[in-house]
Structure formats: C-alpha cells, structure tokens
Amino acid sequence: MTPADATSPAENANIDGTSAPQDLTDGFHLIIDALKLNGLNTIYGVPGIPITDFGRMAQAEGIRVFSFRHEQNAGNAAAIAGYLTKKPGICLTVSAPGFLNGLTALAHATTNCWPMILLSGSSEREIVDLQQGDYEEMDQLAIAKPLCKAAYRILHAQDIGIGVARAIRAAVSGRPGGVYLDLPAKLFGQVMDAAAGAKSLVKVIDPAPKQLPAPDAVERALEVLKGAKRPLIILGKGAAYAQADDTLREFVEKSGIPYLAMSMAKGLLPDDHPLSAGAARSLALKDCDVVMLIGARLNWLLSHGKGKQWGTEPKKIVQIDIEPKEMDSNLEIAAPIVGDIGSCVAALLDAMGSDWRATYPEWTATVREKAESNIAKMAPRLMNNNVPMDYHGALGALKPIIKAHPDTILVNEGANTLDFARSIIDMYKPRKRLDVGTWGVMGIGMGTAIAAAVETGQKVLAVEGDSAFGFSGMEVETICRYNLPVCVIVFNNNGIYRGTDVNPTGGPDVAPTVFVKDARYDIMMQAFGGVGVNATTPDELSRAVNEFLASGRPTLINAVIDPQSGTESGRIGNLNPQSVVSKK
Ligand code: OXT
Ligand code: ADP
Ligand code: MG
C-alpha cells in the first residue's frame, strides 16, 4: 500500500458531495482497533484538541477512558498500570503543553523500568517544522526522544497498525520503559478502505519474550553463593514486576539466604518472613560478604554499593537483570546473570538440585536477632496515643489494618510519611506497595491510587504527606467521579518535612517549607460528594479507615500530625548540600 491509499476526508468525499461510503475506516478507528487488538483496553488522559473525539470514540468502542484534571496524574496512572499489569499503560494527551505535562510521567516510567505509551496529538507538521506559529506548536518527537526508551511518529493511516505494534514491543520487551507515539492531528481524519485497514493492524506476538540465562552464568553464580559465609539477597521492584512470585519465594527459601526488599519489592515474600532482613538493614548490608541483586540496581537507593553503609569488607556481587548494561554500572559484578527473572531464578533452582547444602545458621541467626530487637524496640512507640499524633502513633494504627486486609494496596509518598510508613507498615503480598520509585518523585499519589483501583479492583489506601498530596490533590474529584474505592490519608503536619520553620527575617511571608496551619483537607473530598473525616487520634484514624474498608466509598482522612515530629528530608537528609558560610 502506498501513502496515496490513505487520504483526507475531503479528498474522499463522493463527487456529489455526500459523505464517504460505509466501508471506510479512519485514523481514529484504526488507533482504537490497534489498541483493542492488543488487549489495551484502558486509557488515562485529558481531552482537548486534537484528541477529544478520539476519547469519545474510544469510549464508544468499549475502551475505558479515564479523564483526569492534569496530564501528569494521568501519566502516573498509566505508568503504574504498566508496572501492575506488564502491559503498557496508555496515557493520552493534547499537543504541546498537555504533552509536556504527560512527559514527566513518561520519563518517570522509563526511569523505573515500567512499560507505558504516551499517545499525544500534535499540530500540523508543515507549520511546526517551519516554526510558523501553529496552535500548540512543538516538535514533540524531538523533545520526547531523550526522555524515553523509544519515540515514533505515525504519518499515514496505513502505518497505524505497525506503529502501535512497534510502540508496544518497545515498551515491554527487554528492560521495560516508556514509549512516545506522536499522532499528528491530520492522521486521525485520514480514511482508508476498511478491509485494508483491518488487514494493516498487527497483533504483537510474544511482546516480551523469555530471556533465558546462559547455563555457565548460572553455574558461576551458584559457585559464588556456595563460597559465601554471610550472603544477602536484595529484591528490587524488577523482581516484583517480573511476576515470578512463587519461583522467587522457592528460591529464597531453598537457599536459606536472608533478604532485603527494596521499597516496592516489600511483600514479594511477607515482611514477617523469618528470612526477612528488613528490620536489620544496616547490619545486613554492612556485614554480608556476598550480595545477590535480583531486579534491583546499585543506584543511589543502595548508595551505589559503596560507603559506610556497606562496611569495610569487600563484597562479591551476583546480579540478575534483563539489561546487560546494568552489570558493572557501579561496581564489579562477580557473577552477572542476564535474563528475565522468572527464567533466571528457575534456572538457579534447577541447577541447585535436590541436595543444595549451603546453609548459614550463624549468619541467619545474627540477622534474625537484630531484626527482632529492632522490631521490639519499635513496638511500644507504635502504641502511643499522643495528640497531636506523631508518625509512629498514626502509622501504628494503620499497620494492623493492612495486616488484616493484605490485599489492600498501599500508595505512599512524602518524606517522613514515606520513610516511616515503609519501615512500619509490613506488606504481605507482592505489588501491594506503590510509591515514589527511583526518582523519589512527589505527585504520583492520586494517579497511582486511581490506576491501582482500576487495574486491580482492590481497595486502595493512599498515605500522603500534606505536601506530596498537593501535587495531585485535585484528582480527588476524579476519584469521586468514577466512584473509586480509594481512601486518601493526608498526614497533615502543616508543611514539608516539618511545619515549624520560621522566616528568619521576621517578615510577613512564612518560611518556604510551611503551609497554612491546621488546613482541613477532608473538606476538599466533601466538596465532590466523598467522605471527609478529620482524625486527631490513632483511634479516630483507625475507625475512619475501617469504615472506608467496609464501604469502599471515596474517602479522605485529614490525619493531624504533630508538626514537630518529622525530620528534614526524612531518612535522606544527608543528601542535602550544606553551606559552610551560613547556618540554617
Ligand atoms: O537497620 P537500621 O538500624 O538502619 O534501621 C532501619 C531498618 O532496619 C529499620 N526497620 C525496622 N525496624 C523495626 N521494625 C520494622 N518492621 C522495620 N523495618 C525496617 O528501620 C530503619 C530504616 O529502614 P529503611 O527505611 O528500610 O532503611 P533506610 O536506611 O531508610 O533505606 C535507605 C533508602 C535510601 C533505601 C530509603 O531511605 C528509601 O527508600 N528512601 C526513599 C526516599 C525518597 O525517595 N524520598 C522522597 C523524596 S524526599 C524530597 O525530595 C521531597 N520533596 C522534594 C520534591 C520531590 N521529591 N519531587 C518533586 C516533584 N518536587 C519536589 C518534597 C517536596 S519530599 C517532599 C515533600 C515532603 O513533605 P510531605 O508533607 O509530603 O511529607 P512529610 O515529610 O511527612 O511532611
Ligand atoms: P529498586 O528501586 O526496587 O531497587 P530498580 O528499579 O532499581 O529496583 O531495578 C529494577 C531492575 O529490574 C532494572 O535494572 C530492570 O532492568 C530490572 N528488570 C525489570 N524487569 C525485569 C525482568 N522481568 N527480569 C529481569 N530484570 C528485570
Ligand atoms: Mg508534611
């Protein structure tokens, strides 16, 4: 087929001026059909020129179209949908500003290795390329390219099938990531013969093929593990993404090696598992002699494998990752295993055979002992009934609720609100904890909560710092509009980190980290017909959450937290640069 086979509606009108015959299709419908053919039945976006009708038509054709108040939140929804389903989450935006609003989320998905496709309408190519000042003019393809895994533009209706297929495969194969698909306004209206259009569509076969590890890489890794005295497994969100939950658990248990779960890998094995080193993190990192990374990168979250946290003894590292370039990115990897986690872990289990003897009784006992002593130390703090609540008191109320409802999805962002919740709230099932990810980005909250509810059908608790919530707070209207089972708990400490800073000049402006005191975020939810509760004690908080779990109604709880109880930047204050000439 040549480009001439696809024409504009005007060119296709009958000679007497009547409309085109029924056996035609167009760009709008071909994109919808291409998505549906590949099982992509949900779109998160914001309508406007040139994609308003596309959204309407997609809904009419049975796609669920969730309309947001800001593209970044729609994009964050698509990003987490990709993580949860292993299919690319779809975000739909208008040109230039809408596209840019969605682009942060596309970059976030790429950074986190989650599959997502940003579909964006764009303006007239001829005018954009001559920079003649079109409506929402922008060379979107060029801008997207460095910020995602792949970027494509479709110019002709007959290329829609292959363009969408290419985007899907690029997003999910190998290391997953974000893909940009540029859809110029003219494409939507292009018509072509319906039968030829149907034939041009492509169903992507085996979009993320298994990647088997090399047998000698598996043997090498087992040799390193056999030589270990104090091995440690680190499970990352790549391991959670892989959905090889049973194989992974079997491997950890058969190896008898203590494991640390990175934030979003919590619950891959239950946090109260006897091999969990989560509550003995410092000791485990410092004293281990062999580290096995499974779907986790040696990035800033693991201090690049260096520094005080890792002690003085050199470590040998085994790493499983689908991305070969990840190996040796920060330190020498003694035993790299390149492949998909399901296949790699299955191959390891196989090669361990039935007589795997390596055990580390002293080491596991030392880790266990430390974990239990840290847990015991924390326990009384979680029972406190201080008013206003501190983080331990408030999270102590939520901890048993998650234990009693382990399918509930916990969305979490903030600084103190994030860090305390991560260590206090145990997770029991995989992919139930969704948070700020690799960038530590604020603003994922509402988009993540919405997609989590939509994609899993489970109830969602979004535990949000008051600052974090503000980045996507308007989406409470979206939650109410779609009547989603989401309960937002705003940990309201009147500001960023602490609500107690003062303006050193004594001037009328408050300090940069301070918000309106005693704000009532619960009333925002009431404005849209949801349930709003102001909770000042752990009892009130747990009562409100239990009521939500019983009703599933959109709820926002304003949890009043002592503005004094947090610390600067939570657990990562060390990353703040210090001035030698001025004191804070
Ligand atoms: O072993 P040791 O003794 O070390 O103890 C550890 C564990 O063993 C132990 N532990 C336990 N003890 C007992 N029982 C149990 N069950 C248990 N489990 C663990 O506890 C300790 C700690 O364990 P943990 O947490 O596992 O270990 P650690 O050392 O903390 O781990 C290191 C890290 C790096 C892996 C971890 O800290 C981590 O994952 N950190 C992520 C941090 C992060 O991403 N933070 C978010 C960004 S902060 C900042 O950037 C913010 N901004 C700026 C901004 C951003 N981000 N984005 C955008 C778009 N714009 C601006 C802003 C605006 S935060 C922020 C808002 C903040 O204000 P809010 O109002 O929202 O929030 P509040 O602070 O609440 O006011
Ligand atoms: P965390 O932040 O939890 O430590 P990261 O996002 O840093 O996790 O690391 C995830 C890693 O998992 C990435 O390097 C990515 O390439 C890898 N990964 C993602 N999916 C798979 C998979 N199916 N098989 C193997 N590795 C994967
Ligand atoms: Mg706060």
Side-chain angles (χ1 to χ4, degrees):
M1 184 164 305
T2 66
D5 291 332
T7 53
S8 70
E11 286 166 288
N12 227 300
N14 294 335
I15 207 131
D16 59 1
T18 56
S19 58
Q22 283 302 298
D23 60 350
L24 291 181
T25 186
D26 60 14
F28 288 105
H29 291 92
L30 284 165
I31 301 167
I32 293 164
D33 293 346
L35 294 174
K36 284 174 63 180
L37 181 66
N38 286 287
L40 301 174
N41 297 313
T42 308
I43 292 176
Y44 303 95
V46 176
I49 299 169
I51 47 98
T52 316
D53 273 347
F54 174 76
R56 292 189 182 114
M57 291 178 201
Q59 187 173 54
E61 299 290 331
I63 288 185
R64 288 197 83 184
V65 181
F66 289 91
S67 200
F68 282 66
R69 306 301 292 257
H70 190 286
E71 290 88 351
Q72 192 175 120
N73 307 322
N76 285 326
I80 208 71
Y83 172 69
L84 289 169
T85 64
K86 299 184 88 173
K87 292 195 291 191
I90 305 293
C91 177
L92 177 67
T93 66
V94 304
S95 17
F99 154 77
L100 285 175
N101 287 344
L103 194 56
T104 309
L106 189 70
H108 166 69
T110 308
T111 301
N112 283 279
C113 315
W114 300 338
M116 165 179 171
I117 298 174
L118 175 61
L119 298 177
S120 184
S122 59
S123 300
E124 299 303 336
R125 288 253 43 85
E126 295 81 351
I127 305 179
V128 171
D129 288 348
L130 277 172
Q131 297 174 32
Q132 293 173 313
D134 201 8
Y135 166 73
E136 297 196 346
E137 175 179 295
M138 178 171 279
D139 187 359
Q140 296 171 198
L141 186 69
I143 288 165
K145 245 179 208 164
L147 295 171
C148 58
K149 187 176 170 192
Y152 308 112
R153 174 182 291 137
I154 305 176
L155 289 174
H156 302 296
Q158 67 267 28
D159 293 332
I160 286 172
I162 210 72
V164 170
R166 211 157 155 55
I168 293 170
R169 194 175 284 283
V172 297
S173 61
R175 170 183 275 176
V179 175
Y180 175 60
L181 200 51
D182 193 77
L183 306 173
K186 266 189 192 164
L187 177 74
F188 292 94
Q190 282 181 21
V191 289
M192 65 184 288
D193 174 71
K199 248 173 95 182
S200 72
L201 298 183
V202 176
K203 183 163 168 55
V204 184
I205 301 185
D206 198 10
K210 276 190 178 174
Q211 289 186 221
L212 303 183
D216 58 335
V218 172
E219 284 307 325
R220 191 186 297 120
L222 289 180
E223 281 313 306
V224 174
L225 291 181
K226 272 184 202 155
K229 293 195 176 62
R230 295 178 306 283
L232 175 69
I233 291 173
I234 300 185
L235 300 172
K237 58 175 133 50
Y241 174 82
Q243 296 193 16
D245 308 336
D246 294 343
T247 318
L248 206 60
R249 181 170 183 154
E250 195 185 334
F251 171 71
V252 173
E253 289 178 342
K254 185 169 179 177
S255 73
I257 300 176
Y259 70 90
L260 264 184
M262 299 300 287
S263 196
M264 285 180 61
K266 274 166 71 81
L268 255 176
L269 282 83
D271 276 338
D272 57 0
H273 192 283
L275 287 170
S276 169
R281 190 174 195 275
S282 293
L283 174 133
L285 290 178
K286 191 158 58 62
D287 291 348
C288 64
D289 61 350
V290 167
V291 181
M292 180 174 198
L293 296 160
I294 307 183
R297 286 170 285 186
L298 273 181
N299 57 13
W300 72 279
L301 288 157
L302 286 168
S303 358
H304 309 280
K306 301 167 200 163
K308 222 169 59 199
Q309 189 180 30
W310 287 89
T312 46
E313 203 184 327
K315 325 269 180 200
K316 279 195 170 167
I317 307 175
V318 178
Q319 182 163 20
I320 302 181
D321 206 290
I322 203 157
E323 173 57 62
K325 288 204 302 287
E326 190 54 42
M327 306 300 166
D328 309 320
S329 60
N330 285 270
L331 287 177
E332 177 189 284
I333 303 300
I337 314 180
V338 174
D340 75 89
I341 285 165
S343 302
C344 292
V345 174
L348 281 163
L349 268 170
D350 225 31
M352 283 159 97
S354 51
D355 58 346
W356 177 259
R357 294 234 178 280
T359 53
Y360 325 91
E362 253 177 63
W363 170 237
T364 44
T366 307
V367 172
R368 196 68 243 132
E369 220 170 88
K370 179 70 184 170
E372 274 164 15
S373 100
N374 273 352
I375 291 168
K377 222 185 294 165
M378 191 193 269
R381 300 187 68 189
L382 300 179
M383 313 282 286
N384 87 68
N385 274 313
N386 295 341
V387 176
M389 292 184 279
D390 61 21
Y391 288 93
H392 284 88
L395 291 164
L398 299 182
K399 182 182 166 99
I401 298 181
I402 292 283
K403 186 167 188 178
H405 303 270
D407 283 318
T408 307
I409 294 189
L410 179 71
V411 173
N412 191 200
E413 61 176 336
N416 294 282
T417 305
L418 175 86
D419 292 340
F420 282 118
R422 185 180 55 250
S423 56
I424 291 172
I425 299 186
D426 286 339
M427 306 307 296
Y428 301 90
K429 295 197 174 180
R431 295 171 295 283
K432 298 296 183 190
R433 186 185 153 82
L434 308 175
D435 66 28
V436 298
T438 303
W439 263 348
V441 64
M442 298 299 108
I444 52 90
M446 297 305 101
T448 301
I450 289 168
V454 168
E455 302 289 342
T456 69
Q458 299 293 341
K459 299 199 173 82
V460 178
L461 288 189
V463 176
E464 302 271 311
D466 51 344
S467 162
F469 171 69
F471 286 73
S472 66
M474 192 63 211
E475 303 296 347
V476 294
E477 187 274 332
T478 313
I479 292 169
C480 290
R481 186 167 11 112
Y482 293 104
N483 194 24
L484 294 170
V486 173
C487 173
V488 184
I489 308 174
V490 177
F491 273 42
N492 186 358
N493 66 346
N494 294 344
I496 297 176
Y497 312 140
R498 291 162 72 92
T500 51
D501 267 11
V502 285
N503 179 343
T505 70
D509 296 342
V510 296
T513 54
V514 169
F515 294 159
V516 165
K517 294 214 182 310
D518 307 325
R520 291 285 303 273
Y521 292 96
D522 49 316
I523 297 173
M524 280 177 73
M525 199 61 155
Q526 292 168 356
F528 301 109
V531 177
V533 181
N534 189 45
T536 57
T537 66
D539 271 359
E540 286 173 6
L541 178 57
S542 70
R543 204 170 320 124
V545 174
N546 279 318
E547 271 167 26
F548 158 74
L549 289 171
S551 74
R553 283 190 62 197
T555 299
L556 192 152
I557 304 168
N558 183 59
V560 181
I561 303 290
D562 183 353
Q564 313 259 14
S565 72
T567 58
E568 177 92 6
S569 302
R571 300 263 312 167
I572 57 170
N574 58 310
L575 299 182
N576 285 307
Q578 299 296 321
S579 165
V580 289
V581 292
S582 71
K583 285 223 167 89
K584 260 189 261 167

